[in-house]
Amino acid sequence: MNKFATLVLLQLIAVGIPSTAFPQNARSDLPRLEKRGEAVQLIVDDKPFLVLGGELHNSSSSSVEYMKSIWPRLVAMHLNTVLLPVAWETIEPEEGKFDFTCVDGLLEGARENHLKLVVLWYGAWKNTYSSYAPAWVKTNTDRFPRIQSADGRDTESLSPFSTDVRDADARAFARLMKHLREVDGDAHTVLMVQVENEVGVIPESRDHSPAANSAIAASVPPLLTNYLETHRSSLNPELRATWEAAGARSTGNWQEVFGNNSTTDDLFMAWQFATYIDRISAAGMAEYPLPIFVNAALIRPNYEPGQYNSGGPLPHSVDIWRAAAPTLDFYAPDIYFNEFAFWADSYARPGNPLFIPEAQGGPTGAANALYAFGRLSAFGFSPFGIDDHGNVPLDLVGITNPSEPPDNSAISNLYAELSKLSSTILTAQEIGGITAGLIEGDEQRSARMAVGDYIASMSRGGPPSSTSPKVGAMFVQVNPSEFLVIGTGDAVVTFSAETSWPPNVGIESVDEEFSENGSWVTRRRLNGDETSQGHVLRLYSTDLAQGRMFRVRLYRYR
Ligand code: DGJ
C-alpha cells in the first residue's frame, strides 16, 4: 500500500498519525511545533497551521493608530499571520516600569481582523545594532558596555559579553512573555517569538572589548568541544573542515581549536551570541513556552566575517548555536538573494523545520513560497515590508496615490489560493505527497521533481522576463495518480515514472479550477491543443492573477 492509501486508511479508522512534540518541553495546549508524519508542523489549537505571513516594516507596530489602516490591507491580501516587532524601548521606557499598552493594542487589532501574530523581540540587537534598546540602556555605556573595535572605540552595538546587558534584556523579555501568557494564553493570537533580529558583528569580525579579548584567549568551553566530538559525522561540512584543519583538537583556546583567522572570530561570536540568546530565551520560555527562534542575515558571495554579520546563525555555524542554545526551536533564514533554493535548502535540515520570516515579495516571492511549502515542507513564509501598499483595493485604506511601490499582488493572489488549500497541503506534507520546482537564474532552464510514483519535469516556457523572472510550481498529491498544480511563471510540465509498471505515463485529464468566493470551481477540461493533446501541462504567468490551478490525473500504459 502506498503512503497516500495508508493515510486515507488511517483516517478512515480514526487513528491519528503518530506525532512527536518538537521539542519535548512544549506545553501541549499552546502553539507548538510537532513532528507529524514526514513534516514538522506548527500546531495551533490542536490543528496544523500553515503560516501565510508577511513581516511589517520595522517601526509600523510602534503605533497602534498607524496600524489601524494596515490591518484591513493585510486581510485583503489573504494573510493569516503578521510578523511584527515589539521593541524593548516600547515596553520598558524607564527601567523597571513596563508599559504594554502598545502590545495590547496590537493584539486587539490582530484579533479584530482574525490574524495571528509572530512577535519579533527587538531587544539588545536589531541587525547587529542596538537602536531599539531603551534610552536608559543606550546612554549608560558604563553599565551597558558596547562592542568595541580593534582600536578600542565603542560602537553602537551592545556587547554580548556583558552580563548586565544580558540580564536587563532577559528581564524585559520575560516580562513580555509573562504578559502574553496573561492576556493571550487562551486566545493564542501570538504563535511564536523571534528573539533579537539578525544578530552578528559588523564591520569587524568580532568584539574587541576587554571581556571579549579575555574570552577568545581562554579555552573553548568543553560543552562545545564535546559537541564537536560527539556530532562529528553530522557537523556542517565547512565547520568540520575548519576544525579538522586545525587538528580536531578537544582542548585549546579559540585560535588553537579553529585556526588563526577571521572564521574563528565568526565562530567565537556565534558561541557568544548563542549563549546570550539562550539565556534570554530560557527566561521568556519559563514564563510562556511558545516556539522560539532566531533569524539570520545571509552571506553575499566572497564576503568575509564582519562584511556579513559575524556570529549570526549561518549554516556553517548552526552547530555552534545548537550546542550553546538548546532552548531555541529552529534557525530561520531571511532570504533576499536570488538563489532562493540554495539558501532554503541549507536551512531545511533534519531537526530544523523551515520557516522563512523575511523574503522578497512580488512574483519572485510567490515562486519562492511555492518551493518552500512544496519542496521543503516549510510551515511558514513571510515577505518583508508587507504593509507597502501593494495591489490591495485602495478605497479600503484611503490611499489616493496608486503609484506607490511595490506590487505584492502575486503574493496576495497566491495566498488567496493557498488559504483554500491549506489543509490539503498540510496533509500532503505529512505523508510526503507534495513537491515543488523552482527555475531561477539565467542558466537554469528546467527542474525535475518526484512526487508519489511520478516524476514531473518542468521547463521554462519562455525567456526570464521582468514580470516572471522565476518559475515556481507546487504539485500536491490528492490521490495516488491525481495532483493539484499551482504555478507562477510560464512553464511546460511533462510527467514520467521510474518505478512500478507499466513504464509509460499518460495524462488522463487536465481540468482548470478557479478560486471563487471561498471555493474551487471547475471550468474547462484541457485535453486538446492547450495540453498538446494530453502530452504536457502548461503553466502561465497569469494563472495566479486569474486564481487558476490545475487538477491533473495521470495513468500508466505499456
Ligand atoms: C533585514 C532586517 O532583518 C529587517 O528588519 C529589515 O531591516 C530588512 N532587512 C530591510 O530590507
Side-chain angles (χ1 to χ4, degrees):
M1 193 181 313
N2 70 20
K3 282 179 286 187
F4 184 84
T6 308
L7 177 75
V8 171
L9 184 64
L10 283 173
Q11 284 177 336
L12 280 178
I13 57 176
V15 174
I17 288 210
S19 64
T20 323
F22 181 102
Q24 277 89 18
N25 62 355
R27 219 177 77 189
S28 63
D29 58 329
L30 295 182
R32 63 190 183 277
L33 294 171
E34 211 170 85
K35 176 117 174 74
R36 293 204 164 188
E38 301 203 4
V40 173
Q41 298 183 325
L42 178 63
I43 309 299
V44 181
D45 297 328
D46 285 326
K47 287 199 288 287
F49 185 90
L50 199 64
V51 175
L52 305 177
E55 183 167 320
L56 299 180
H57 280 292
N58 299 156
S59 301
S60 307
S61 55
S62 65
S63 163
V64 172
E65 192 55 34
Y66 179 85
M67 282 303 298
K68 279 191 180 143
S69 67
I70 305 290
W71 298 117
R73 285 175 26 207
L74 305 178
V75 173
M77 290 177 70
H78 307 280
L79 270 73
N80 60 21
T81 306
V82 181
L83 281 70
L84 54 75
V86 170
W88 186 1
E89 64 176 351
T90 309
I91 66 159
E92 196 183 8
E94 274 183 68
E95 185 168 12
K97 292 200 177 130
F98 289 89
D99 180 352
F100 293 108
T101 317
C102 184
V103 172
D104 292 343
L106 296 171
L107 284 171
E108 196 182 317
R111 286 177 190 155
E112 276 170 2
N113 289 281
H114 309 289
L115 289 163
K116 299 290 187 186
L117 299 178
V118 172
V119 164
L120 318 173
W121 171 239
Y122 281 11
W125 300 287
K126 194 271 162 185
N127 295 41
T128 78
Y129 295 106
S130 301
S131 50
Y132 284 92
W136 57 268
V137 173
K138 278 185 192 163
T139 52
N140 192 344
T141 52
D142 289 338
R143 182 173 160 206
F144 301 113
R146 304 301 183 86
I147 286 178
Q148 289 187 345
S149 55
D151 61 5
R153 281 176 296 114
D154 274 359
T155 66
E156 295 201 42
S157 303
L158 293 160
S159 171
F161 291 89
S162 161
T163 50
D164 281 322
V165 173
R166 184 196 67 195
D167 294 347
D169 191 353
R171 266 194 303 275
F173 183 62
R175 280 300 298 268
L176 171 65
M177 296 308 286
K178 177 172 183 280
H179 184 75
L180 290 180
R181 169 170 53 78
E182 286 164 358
V183 299
D184 196 48
D186 294 327
H188 306 158
T189 310
V190 179
L191 304 181
M192 306 195 291
V193 184
Q194 176 189 296
V195 205
E196 316 292 348
N197 190 77
E198 292 194 350
V199 297
V201 187
I202 46 175
E204 295 187 0
S205 53
R206 74 170 175 91
D207 185 356
H208 292 269
S209 63
N213 289 342
S214 321
I216 200 167
S219 294
V220 174
L223 189 59
L224 176 54
T225 47
N226 289 343
Y227 184 98
L228 296 175
E229 283 174 339
T230 50
H231 294 82
R232 189 168 183 154
S233 62
S234 62
L235 288 179
N236 166 274
E238 227 180 300
L239 177 68
R240 182 173 170 173
T242 302
W243 177 50
E244 290 181 346
R249 295 173 60 137
S250 58
T251 54
N253 67 29
W254 285 83
Q255 290 179 348
E256 287 164 348
V257 172
F258 293 107
N260 185 4
N261 52 52
S262 63
T263 299
T264 298
D265 291 352
D266 181 359
L267 303 177
F268 166 69
M269 290 310 302
W271 176 262
Q272 193 57 30
F273 278 115
T275 307
Y276 175 112
I277 284 179
D278 194 56
R279 286 289 280 270
I280 308 295
S281 160
M285 293 308 97
E287 294 293 346
Y288 190 38
L290 291 180
I292 194 158
F293 66 99
V294 287
N295 64 331
L298 304 177
I299 311 178
R300 286 180 195 285
N302 305 318
Y303 270 35
E304 295 291 323
Q307 289 177 296
Y308 66 81
N309 299 14
S310 182
L314 288 156
H316 66 262
S317 59
V318 155
D319 288 299
I320 298 208
W321 276 80
R322 279 180 197 269
T327 59
L328 295 178
D329 288 289
F330 62 93
Y331 301 90
D334 294 344
I335 311 182
Y336 292 92
F337 298 151
N338 287 334
E339 303 76 23
F340 181 86
F342 169 80
W343 286 107
D345 292 353
S346 309
Y347 278 82
R349 293 287 142 137
N352 198 55
L354 187 63
F355 177 79
I356 297 166
E358 292 184 41
Q360 287 171 273
T364 296
N368 292 342
L370 286 171
Y371 183 82
F373 288 128
R375 183 67 156 255
L376 303 173
S377 285
F379 65 90
F381 184 86
S382 161
F384 181 78
I386 201 70
D387 45 331
D388 279 319
H389 301 140
N391 197 26
V392 172
L394 297 175
D395 57 353
L396 206 63
V397 284
I399 290 171
T400 50
N401 175 9
S403 64
E404 300 271 10
D407 184 357
N408 257 328
S409 54
I411 293 292
S412 174
N413 293 331
L414 177 72
Y415 283 2
E417 292 201 14
L418 296 188
S419 57
K420 291 183 202 104
L421 288 173
S422 280
S423 63
T424 310
I425 290 169
L426 287 158
T427 301
Q429 287 183 343
E430 273 185 51
I431 62 169
I434 189 166
T435 192
L438 187 62
I439 301 178
E440 51 183 357
D442 290 342
E443 292 90 49
Q444 194 187 347
R445 301 294 309 167
S446 61
R448 193 167 186 270
M449 52 241 122
V451 59
D453 290 336
Y454 296 96
I455 309 283
S457 303
M458 179 167 82
S459 316
R460 224 184 244 289
S465 72
S466 56
T467 51
S468 62
K470 290 195 185 193
V471 175
M474 178 196 275
F475 299 75
V476 187
Q477 189 180 24
V478 290
N479 269 309
S481 294
E482 185 175 330
F483 300 89
L484 303 178
V485 185
I486 299 175
T488 173
D490 297 306
V492 176
V493 183
T494 57
F495 296 92
S496 59
E498 281 176 351
T499 56
S500 311
W501 199 88
N504 300 309
V505 175
I507 294 180
E508 181 187 301
S509 60
V510 173
D511 291 335
E512 60 175 5
E513 296 190 13
F514 289 85
S515 147
E516 276 180 14
N517 304 324
S519 54
W520 292 97
V521 179
T522 306
R523 295 256 172 78
R524 293 177 299 167
R525 168 149 293 190
L526 305 172
N527 280 4
D529 293 341
E530 307 80 12
T531 53
S532 300
Q533 302 16 274
H535 283 82
V536 301
L537 167 68
R538 281 185 221 287
L539 305 174
Y540 294 92
S541 51
T542 49
D543 285 340
L544 276 186
Q546 293 177 358
R548 175 159 77 161
M549 71 168 178
F550 300 96
R551 183 178 295 270
V552 180
R553 296 187 185 87
L554 304 175
Y555 70 99
R556 310 285 286 250
Y557 65 96
R558 278 185 293 149

